[in-house]
Amino acid sequence: MKNRFFASMLSAMFIVGLMASCDLFDKADDISFSTEFDKSLTVDNAGKGSYSDQITLDATTDPEVAKYKEKIQNITLNEVTYKVSNYVGPDAATFTGDILFGTNGNLGSVSISAINLSDASTSGDEMELDLSQDEINAVAAQLKDDKSVLVTMAGEFSDGPVSFVVTVKINAKITADAL
């Protein structure tokens, strides 16, 4: 009787171990990698006053993302930045407005307050877009599902005409099924 009980317990532990290892085997073929992808919006001779334009930021411009695009299980955003370059226009011209993610900013938005375009271009610095955690999660979900996200720059220039390039960049960790 004791042997039968012992054999049953050992069998049950073996089955539980097998079931747990199936999950481990499923995760064993996952691949994770870090990536950066960006898209530039060119502002060309925009005058003083209202301005709006949009770009589509496509994760599959990265060859690794393109390779695994049908097998992506998770996208985690590490950082979302923008950079102003190639500025031509009045030295004191500023931009005040928003960077919106998704249609009409439904995924999130960040306000930009009176950024001096000449200074931002000269510095060459990437500036982080301070999205909330919920907004980061919404953008990541959009990228996971569609592999792209709509980005809109909308606001006002204090002076003009201005020309420059603004580049929006996402740094992310991708997890995909390798098989």
Side-chain angles (χ1 to χ4, degrees):
M1 185 75 165
K2 284 185 179 181
N3 285 341
R4 188 179 248 175
F5 176 74
F6 182 70
S8 296
M9 288 299 288
L10 192 57
S11 294
M13 289 174 43
F14 179 73
I15 290 171
V16 168
L18 266 177
M19 291 172 65
S21 67
C22 288
D23 189 42
L24 289 174
F25 286 125
D26 185 43
K27 292 182 187 271
D29 68 340
D30 289 353
I31 183 171
S32 290
F33 57 93
S34 293
T35 183
E36 290 184 344
F37 48 93
D38 59 30
K39 179 76 176 193
S40 295
L41 183 145
T42 301
V43 177
D44 190 25
N45 286 319
K48 177 180 178 178
S50 294
Y51 178 84
S52 182
D53 201 358
Q54 55 190 216
I55 54 172
T56 299
L57 192 55
D58 184 353
T60 62
T61 58
D62 178 298
E64 281 295 296
V65 176
K67 179 178 174 182
Y68 294 105
K69 73 180 180 180
E70 300 302 323
K71 299 177 180 187
I72 292 176
Q73 297 173 340
N74 190 45
I75 295 180
T76 303
L77 300 187
N78 299 320
E79 186 176 47
V80 182
T81 62
Y82 74 98
K83 180 172 108 173
V84 176
S85 59
N86 303 329
Y87 177 74
V88 176
D91 286 340
T94 62
F95 173 78
T96 299
D98 298 297
I99 304 289
L100 304 125
F101 292 85
T103 305
N104 297 318
N106 67 323
L107 301 176
S109 65
V110 177
S111 292
I112 308 292
S113 181
I115 182 171
N116 182 293
L117 297 167
S118 178
D119 291 348
S121 179
T122 300
S123 77
D125 292 340
E126 286 185 18
M127 292 162 273
E128 188 168 359
L129 290 168
D130 190 22
L131 294 161
S132 73
Q133 190 59 53
D134 287 343
E135 292 170 327
I136 288 170
N137 294 342
V139 172
Q142 172 79 28
L143 286 168
K144 179 181 178 264
D145 293 344
D146 295 346
K147 313 310 177 266
S148 65
V149 64
L150 183 66
V151 180
T152 304
M153 178 180 154
E156 291 192 10
F157 295 117
S158 66
D159 202 353
V162 295
S163 296
F164 62 96
V165 175
V166 61
T167 303
V168 179
K169 180 169 74 173
I170 290 181
N171 176 298
K173 179 181 175 188
I174 310 290
T175 303
D177 187 0
L179 299 179

